[in-house]
Amino acid sequence: MHVLILGGTTEARQLAESLAAEPLPALRVTNSLAGRAAAPRTPPGGLRVGGFGGADGLAAWLREHRVGALVDATHPFAATISRNAARAAALTRVPLLVLRRPGWRPVAGDDWHRAASLTEAAGLLPALGRRVFLTTGRTGLAAFAAAPDPLWFLVRSVDPPEPPRPARMEVLLDRGPFTLDGERELLRRHRIEVVVTKDSGGAATAPKLTAAREAGLPVVMVRRPPVPDGARVVTGAAEAVAWVRETQAGLLR
């Protein structure tokens, strides 16, 4: 059976590694990466980089390469590819699984301000603080490009951000996982007053939330887009491996 993993996340890599170690006969895995990161971490198995050309293009690829199972293990905010995956799976009747890490949950002492979008998050900032630690990724900076003075942004991303972006900003190129001590020092050194993040979940970037809570800082938390209707969802690689086993067993009957 041919499994296509739409990846680019820690969970996708963990799934690919687990499947590579599984004694499943005649199992072939292809990992698909969007190609946005300059130096992606390559998982085991076959690799393709770049888009498919929408849902129809993905459906055509599934047919051409005789894919028997499709796993959407993309970032929780990769809404477009998730919609395309659901549509392509419906068109081809290829079984679809969505692998999503759990979102973060506030605990006592957190001061979270929920936002439905990056634009809404930008609108909350003037009332919360002037010096902003922006950790929403390099592709969403346009929502903050028109931020009024005196807002200043520390932007952390894996790759350099491109315009449009805020006029008053400093870029910090770095990749998680991050440590609690490191996040404490970052907030202190840059005199951060408010943190903006997407509800990406996972442990790799969670220490910033603990550091913000300890410092008494507000956090603007952008909500996740919904998972496509009807999709089966699991939260870990072990569950996804079990689903692949079940799917392959069903095809072999």
Side-chain angles (χ1 to χ4, degrees), residues 184-202:
R184 286 168 175 155
E185 172 59 19
L186 183 149
L187 297 181
R188 184 199 64 77
R189 184 171 69 253
H190 293 279
R191 308 193 312 280
I192 297 299
E193 298 174 3
V194 56
V195 177
V196 182
T197 187
K198 296 176 178 178
D199 184 12
S200 299

Side-chain angles (χ1 to χ4, degrees), residues 39-144:
R41 297 174 179 174
T42 304
L47 179 67
R48 74 171 303 280
V49 178
F52 291 92
D56 290 340
L58 177 54
W61 199 95
L62 296 178
R63 294 189 188 100
E64 178 184 354
H65 295 272
R66 302 175 63 86
V67 172
L70 175 61
V71 181
D72 173 11
T74 57
H75 192 276
F77 282 81
T80 299
I81 185 59
S82 290
R83 287 194 300 269
N84 289 343
R87 175 62 178 157
L91 288 171
T92 58
R93 297 187 178 180
V94 171
L96 170 67
L97 181 73
V98 177
L99 173 55
R100 286 286 186 277
R101 71 188 74 144
W104 290 313
R105 294 179 179 273
V107 300
D110 280 327
D111 180 16
W112 286 12
H113 301 256
R114 298 282 187 176
S117 66
L118 292 174
T119 300
E120 185 176 316
L124 295 176
L125 292 179
L128 295 175
R130 297 181 176 184
R131 298 182 65 83
V132 184
F133 182 28
L134 188 57
T135 67
T136 55
R138 67 185 178 94
T139 60
L141 295 186
F144 303 88

Side-chain angles (χ1 to χ4, degrees), residues 11 14-15 97-102 233-242:
E11 292 72 30
Q14 289 171 344
L15 174 58
L97 181 73
V98 177
L99 173 55
R100 286 286 186 277
R101 71 188 74 144
V233 182
V234 298
T235 59
E239 296 170 279
V241 170

